[in-house]
Amino acid sequence: MSHDRRQQVLDGRTTLGIELGSTRIKACLVDEDLVPIAAGFHEWENEFVDGRWTYSLEAVETGLRAAYAALVADVEAQYDVRPTTFRAAGVSAMMHGYLAFDADGVLLVPFRTWRNTSTGPAAERLSAALGFNIPLRWSIAHLYQAVLDDEAHVARIAGITTLAGYVHRRLTGRDVLGVGDASGLFPIDSTPADSGPGDPGTRDYDAAMLTTAQDLIGVPDLRALLPEVLVAGMDAGALTPEGAAWLDPTGALQPGVPLCPPEGDAGTGMVATNAVAPRTGNVSVGTSIFAMVVLEQPLGTAHEELDIVTTPSGDAVAMVHCNNGASEIASWARVFGRFAEAAGTPLDADAVYRTLLDEAEHADPDAGGLLSFNYLAGEPVTHVEHGRPLLLRTPDSRFTLGNLIRSEVHGAFATLAIGMEVLHAEGVTVDRMTAHGGLFRTPGAPQQLLAAALRVPVALEETAGEGGAWGIAVLAAYLEHTEHALADFLADTVFGGTAGQVAEPQPRDVEGFTSYLERYRRALPVQATAAATTGASATTDGGDAHDGAEPALQNEGTTR
């Protein structure tokens, strides 16, 4: 096998995937069977500059080169050969945000990431005009807010894109986006195909909404400012000589590698969890938490709790995005890890989590009356403007280790459950959710308690932990398999028909979480009081969090 993989590298029969996450850039190389065989990483952090969260384009370039160089070093260490070309490649990145360029390709203002929440007036007006929920982090909200704020750069804008779109353009020279990433820039028309096999349907920016938004924003041709939209499997260009030198300054990487449409982290998460078919979904639990459910038909009305995005094939997906995820659990794990160390019995991080979550699994179903809020940032789903992490209990609560940790897990899932109730009220049916994220490295309690919170079976795929870099590599490989629908390619070729480990909701756990959630709702006003009586800070009030205060608990699911 090792010899065969070496030959695959030599022959250029491997596939490359790169994803720019919020705290790490990862490069992943897969063999002909789509099994990861090498990886490279680069850690990075967003910066808070002049009141906005950003990454510099220099940091993007440096980070990409470092991750790719680390991948090459890993390949050389394992197989004693240096890759010079690939069968295909793809780029993914955190979605949303604002990258505005002039006609010469010069960045007009520093990259404004999804984490910036200064777009409230724009998002509100767009949502009202379009009859469609436009979240604060969407690219179109950033553009319109710049217009409302009369920013000087607006008159010079020739185009806007996402981070994945920018990197893809540097590599190929083409200004395109995968439809999933584009759906976080502007609403997509997911009209189903009606012309038989091979017809993707509309799968482009919604034409009527474009006209409305153009009149509202006041630009002469809004469509001309947006990248071309492509669905999975479509030709998105090839690596140019300039792109090859940009990624690999050593000159070893050769041009000509085909690239798939660049995608967002939500789309690659769907691919990595085999959740692109209707009635399936996935839950990503890291420093933020979000659920994505592929819809059978459009929702009847717009809901501020729900983002409507798409799969990489353009099918409509309802996303419940919660700014706050498992960071508080990580904080408690560090405290108990330090206690073990101070007591002379140090434990590694996995052992700490395993010990704590085992206690939670056998605790009282309702966490013994304890109540935990994980709000490091504001939380739009529950209308909390400024978050404060809190642990509440009454004098008669059962304050045990198990109940404490179970309360923190319940608290991490509570806001998600509230958002999912909106989908249930719309009659949306979910057959299975697949979970991924660092929390699920510990088997048992996290998966079981999530099933109880959502009242739906929750599966764990072994490949979910490979993250978005593997997901975009799979999408790149799909370029040669477009005779099959993406859902069929994943189910039959990539996942081989397996469903992974599945946890069914247990009545005892469902009853306990229901009781917990009732207390949680009643106590929500405490958040406003806590925020009003404590000082504000950029990190706690700065918006939602693909990222956040705990880089080690990423949504990528590969590390804790």
Side-chain angles (χ1 to χ4, degrees), residues 126 130 140 185-188 204-227 229:
L126 282 165
L130 301 180
I140 192 63
L185 189 153
F186 192 87
I188 295 292
D204 201 352
Y205 303 117
D206 188 286
M209 291 189 191
L210 270 176
T211 300
T212 301
Q214 179 173 291
D215 293 342
L216 182 65
I217 296 173
V219 294
D221 187 352
L222 179 58
R223 181 64 183 83
L225 300 183
L226 311 182
V229 179

Side-chain angles (χ1 to χ4, degrees), residues 16 36 57 90 102 109 126-127 167 188 193 252 285 322 348 354 376 392 427 441 450 463 477 502-503 511 520 529 558:
L16 173 68
L57 294 191
D102 68 11
V109 291
L126 282 165
S127 297
V167 173
I188 295 292
V285 180
C322 306
D348 63 29
R354 186 167 57 251
L376 284 163
L392 304 176
R441 279 176 53 178
L450 181 61
T463 52
V502 179
E511 183 179 352
Y520 188 92
T529 302
T558 52

